[in-house]
Amino acid sequence: RAYHLAMVRSAAEGVKIAQAPVRVIGGSVHSLPGGFLWPLLEDPAAASLQGLAVHPYTTPIEQLPQQIGVLRRHAGLRRHVLHITEFGSQNAHTAPDELVRAYATLSSLGSRELDWYPLNERGDGFVPLLRRSSETTGVAQAFRLVTDRLASFRARDVSPDRFTFVHAFGPHILVLWGAPRAIRVNPAEVAAFDARGARLDAAHLTLDETRVLVLQGQQPLVLGRDVRLGCSSLIADSFLGFSYPADSEDQGSPAGFTAFVQRGRGKLPLETLPGQQREGVPWTPYLGLSDAALPRVLSDMVIPNPDGPVFLEFLTERAGTLRVQGDFAAAHSGALGPKVAFSVDGRSLDLPAQSSPVRVDRILKVRSGQRLAFAVSWNQTARDSTARYRIRLFDPASCALAEAARR
């Protein structure tokens, strides 16, 4: 940190002497490590900084608001504009959509810029804008869509829930993606495009978690009037609903799950840790214990510790029938994967024979206030115990209730 700030200070002095119209930014970090950035901003030498440069490669796009929100809990970071001076993808199939999704998200968060990496092929697997032949790629088409139609506006996040992402660019354009559901518009008044700018059939639109819809209206578009969302029975999602509690009293959300371990007969909620606050921990915020390297929970990964399982728990709000889907897979090739158990109010339910991946798909009758919990336990080594996971709950009756409420 001291070496980095010495370079920042030297650059700032040079800019001041030259009276150059140059903004001096720093930080220059891979990912979003509050444990590195917070002490840096507390150093008096950080006064030369006019913004922070970050490269959030390891943060899922849908988690950028939550993780940047954790960083901004520090007073020093709240006054700095973020510059995303490097962002990219190694998946040529999804890269165009990732560019548009990231731009919409970061624009709504007030970031000053988003710089795609790389311009041309570098041999490192990242999808460029230009091939060696100078032919443009699909992500270059998305880049053109952003610069031609979106970049003159700062986006507004008008998302209606944790599972649906809607960003408004000016009065006439909406960028949407999210958990599957139907989208209804008037095709005579609203044009629909994909991330590359290709025209879509506006009469048959559905949301997708990874595929972007760009809607452009002849008149100003209002969500709920000109763009209507079909019903979704999804009521909880460990990935889309993941959150970072500010303290031990702020645990869980209707869209997510509470993460805790057991100490004695009590529950010990996992706390939000800033990332890179010690050796051997992620470079992003995560849930864990301040006095131990493990356990560790992120939106898509969980690592228990040898002392006992990590619990991911959901509290039911009303009686009815729920569909529970849980997927747990070893994060590392050839690893055993963790041991997984599922319970309702502490009563274990039978699962398929343990292997990786573990897939649960159950229909349950539940009462209001019941606790549905997945327990993820240690399996020989940390590598073997690290899991990619996702849990979703569906309430088939929720759509009927929503329709009745509208009537």
Side-chain angles (χ1 to χ4, degrees), residues 183-191 202-203 216-218 221 225-228:
I183 302 292
R184 293 187 292 274
V185 300
N186 183 346
E189 298 180 357
V190 180
Q216 187 163 2
Q218 297 177 11
L221 294 180
R225 184 191 70 186
D226 310 288
V227 179
R228 298 181 181 274

Side-chain angles (χ1 to χ4, degrees), residues 1-10 36 40 43 45:
R1 283 192 291 264
Y3 189 88
H4 177 69
L5 287 173
M7 291 192 292
V8 168
R9 185 170 57 250
S10 177
F36 175 83
L40 182 141
D43 191 303

Side-chain angles (χ1 to χ4, degrees), residues 61 93-102 142 194-196 210-213:
I61 292 168
H93 185 60
T94 62
D97 293 270
E98 290 178 58
L99 170 55
V100 179
R101 287 163 52 215
D194 67 12
R196 302 182 185 202
T210 60
R211 293 298 184 187
V212 165
L213 292 177

Side-chain angles (χ1 to χ4, degrees), residues 31 40 53 87 93 122 167 173 293 310 321 364:
S31 305
L40 182 141
F87 190 88
H93 185 60
R122 303 295 299 273
H167 299 266
I173 297 177
V310 171
T321 300
L364 298 178

